[in-house]
Amino acid sequence: DGTGEAGGGVWPDGRQASILSGGISARRMTAGDLEAVIRIEQKSFPDPWSFQSFQESLGQPQAIWMVIEKADGKEKWPIGYAGVYTVLDEGEIVNVAMEPEERGKGYGKILVEKLMEEGAKRGVSDFYLEVRMGNEAGKRLYRSLGVEPCGVRKDFYEQPREDALVMRCTGFPVI
């Protein structure tokens, strides 16, 4: 079903990956992923981050960025990405996005799980995020991971203006 862990590996270019079934893998984002990430970002958000914003964030020691990618033979390409900013035992999950044709297949859940695991390796036990009130798929995804509503930020989003549901997951097991 695309969700079973099948081990780890290293791509020929040296990138570490958690290999999942069905030619899917999750790994840390690199600068080489940014062109694909920007394409996904532009398809996913009305006010997308710039190449420079992602590049700067990748260089921040408190930031963790992951991609989930597909492979067929020798070719591989990112189909989604997510980030978290860590401070002590807290992490703020940001910019979770998938290629439109890959949504609803369970890859987003795998990606966010791997992102939270990476955060836990840094001592993060509590994760927070904002999601648009109208983003039912996103809210279902986060609830499936134990992330629960805890508040509302009025008019948080622009283009279009919309409230954000604040969600959190406390007590994530630190690895």
Side-chain angles (χ1 to χ4, degrees):
D1 67 358
T3 61
E5 181 83 28
V10 179
W11 289 113
D13 60 8
R15 294 178 292 171
Q16 295 285 330
S18 294
I19 308 300
L20 309 165
S21 62
I24 300 295
S25 61
R27 62 172 173 76
R28 295 291 290 269
M29 184 187 294
T30 68
D33 297 314
L34 290 181
E35 284 186 31
V37 165
I38 290 298
R39 282 193 300 275
I40 298 167
E41 174 86 358
Q42 290 172 341
K43 294 176 193 176
S44 301
F45 300 107
D47 189 18
W49 280 27
S50 68
F51 185 93
Q52 182 179 352
S53 294
F54 275 105
Q55 194 170 37
E56 289 172 1
S57 184
L58 269 177
Q60 295 177 3
Q62 73 275 15
I64 301 170
W65 287 95
M66 302 284 295
V67 295
I68 191 161
E69 59 188 6
K70 267 190 170 179
D72 64 359
K74 296 178 189 172
E75 193 175 342
K76 55 194 174 291
W77 60 95
I79 59 170
Y81 64 91
V84 63
Y85 289 105
T86 64
V87 178
L88 301 174
D89 64 344
E90 293 185 355
E92 181 182 6
I93 297 173
V94 296
N95 296 55
V96 177
M98 297 292 301
E99 283 281 8
E101 64 273 12
E102 302 297 347
R103 294 175 188 162
K105 298 180 180 179
Y107 302 146
K109 183 174 181 176
I110 294 167
L111 176 61
V112 176
E113 281 177 328
K114 294 293 181 189
L115 181 69
M116 292 171 79
E117 288 172 10
E118 288 297 312
K121 289 177 185 176
R122 290 197 189 174
V124 174
S125 60
D126 298 339
F127 291 90
Y128 296 85
L129 59 87
E130 290 94 8
V131 61
R132 284 183 179 271
M133 282 294 211
N135 184 348
E136 295 302 324
K139 292 188 292 189
R140 276 193 308 276
L141 164 66
Y142 301 131
R143 282 190 180 110
S144 76
L145 292 164
V147 185
E148 296 294 331
C150 65
V152 174
R153 295 192 199 282
K154 288 295 208 184
D155 296 328
F156 183 77
Y157 293 103
E158 298 179 9
Q159 300 180 14
R161 185 163 299 284
E162 189 173 358
D163 295 346
L165 180 63
V166 181
M167 301 181 79
R168 74 172 173 215
C169 174
T170 58
F172 192 85
V174 175
I175 298 173

